[in-house]
Amino acid sequence: MSKPNMIQLIKHEWRLLLVAVQFLTRLPVPSFTNYDPQWLHQSSRHFPAVGLLVGLLCAGVFWLGSVLFTPLIAAVISTIFGIRLTGAFHEDGLADSCDGLGGGLTRERTLTIMKDSRLGTYGVLGLVSVLLLKITLLASMPPSVAIVALIIGHTASRLLCISLIALLPYGGEIEHAKAKPMAQQLTLLQGVLSTGWLLLAGILVIAIFPSGIQQIGLSQWLLALLLTLIATDYMRRLLRRRLDGYTGDGLGATQQLSEVAIYMGLAASVPFV
């Protein structure tokens, strides 16, 4: 079998990007012929690209909302828009993880609760807490800073989310996985390649929103990095201890917590620096 040429490789990566968009959002994409279930697993390296797309769209909605209304209303509208755009995909994982990890005493019981479509007390509290944090943090920032935060937050959080696929084995039950091909390992090389999308996000915000970048101090960037790494590592340790690995819901919870952690760092005032 001949080795694929550059054009074929580019077409394949474009196909994987569309698969990732279809999996993580409600955006329409062209239909696929001869679909291979392996494409979904391979598309995970483009999840940060979907985050970049979602971040740009949410940032646009926030900008328009801030022009027409107050920053608080803009934050609410952009958050609702993001939830609608993704079909609450990650929020659902957060709620299920809170219910399962909060109410389950054993691994088997935890997985059973996480598969239950009903929402419990832990799920409601976790979801409401994260949404309140997102909205209030975005509303507390100058609009240009909030726009940068949305783009970087959505992109970086999805990169950190898929890092758990490389760092942990699958901890759920394969037959009950929401996407069985995703229950496979992501290679470290694929994870490294995914960082290219975060670099692109950084280049875009520097080029398009220089005023927002100028209002963010180095201490805030460092705090955002520290907090989001702590949030991701917390989820890694928790999932390893409670489930012996990651699940789809656990990845969604990791994305949500790391996104909020980035907003916290960028919104913080660091007086001791």
Side-chain angles (χ1 to χ4, degrees):
M1 186 175 180
S2 60
K3 191 175 182 179
N5 57 38
M6 183 60 66
I7 294 178
Q8 290 173 322
L9 288 174
I10 292 174
K11 286 183 177 179
H12 182 61
E13 292 302 321
W14 173 250
R15 187 185 300 116
L16 295 182
L17 177 58
L18 292 179
V19 170
V21 172
Q22 184 183 60
F23 183 61
L24 295 180
T25 74
R26 296 292 179 88
L27 293 172
V29 299
S31 58
F32 302 102
T33 57
N34 302 320
Y35 176 78
D36 185 347
Q38 285 294 322
W39 293 350
L40 180 56
H41 168 61
Q42 297 169 2
S43 74
S44 59
R45 59 179 172 264
H46 295 303
F47 284 6
V50 180
L52 174 56
L53 175 61
V54 172
L56 286 169
L57 293 174
C58 288
V61 171
F62 183 92
W63 172 81
L64 181 60
S66 64
V67 170
L68 299 175
F69 309 106
T70 65
L72 177 58
I73 295 176
V76 172
I77 293 173
S78 66
T79 300
I80 294 173
F81 174 80
I83 292 172
R84 179 68 181 88
L85 184 63
T86 62
F89 189 74
H90 302 296
E91 287 82 2
D92 178 67
L94 171 67
D96 287 343
S97 295
C98 289
D99 275 336
L101 296 170
L105 298 179
T106 65
R107 176 179 179 275
E108 291 71 24
R109 179 57 181 162
T110 299
L111 290 173
T112 299
I113 295 174
M114 291 171 77
K115 292 195 295 283
D116 194 331
S117 60
R118 292 171 297 181
L119 189 59
T121 302
Y122 288 110
V124 171
L125 292 174
L127 191 57
V128 170
S129 297
V130 167
L131 289 176
L132 283 175
L133 273 173
K134 282 186 184 181
I135 292 170
T136 52
L137 287 168
L138 289 170
S140 70
M141 305 177 195
S144 57
V145 173
I147 288 172
V148 171
L150 282 165
I151 296 171
I152 297 298
H154 278 283
T155 308
S157 62
R158 283 164 177 81
L159 175 61
L160 291 165
C161 162
I162 64 169
S163 72
L164 297 192
I165 304 178
L167 297 172
L168 295 173
Y170 185 68
E173 300 172 355
I174 295 292
E175 62 272 18
H176 294 126
K178 292 179 180 178
K180 294 182 180 180
M182 289 303 297
Q184 302 176 22
Q185 281 293 92
L186 177 75
T187 66
L188 188 59
L189 177 59
Q190 290 173 332
V192 171
L193 292 175
S194 299
T195 60
W197 291 111
L198 180 57
L199 292 175
L200 176 60
I203 292 171
L204 285 176
V205 295
I206 291 173
I208 303 175
F209 307 107
S211 61
I213 293 293
Q214 292 170 3
Q215 295 180 67
I216 304 174
L218 177 60
S219 59
Q220 292 167 296
W221 283 115
L222 292 176
L223 183 58
L225 176 62
L226 176 63
L227 291 177
T228 195
L229 289 178
I230 289 174
T232 304
D233 190 59
Y234 167 76
M235 286 302 303
R236 180 188 66 81
R237 292 173 182 272
L238 182 63
L239 293 172
R240 166 73 80 175
R241 185 177 73 253
R242 296 291 303 279
L243 301 177
D244 299 324
Y246 74 90
T247 64
D249 288 329
L251 296 182
T254 302
Q255 185 278 322
Q256 289 289 291
L257 292 181
S258 58
E259 181 187 343
V260 169
I262 291 172
Y263 297 162
M264 291 179 69
L266 297 183
S269 174
V270 191
F272 48 83
V273 175

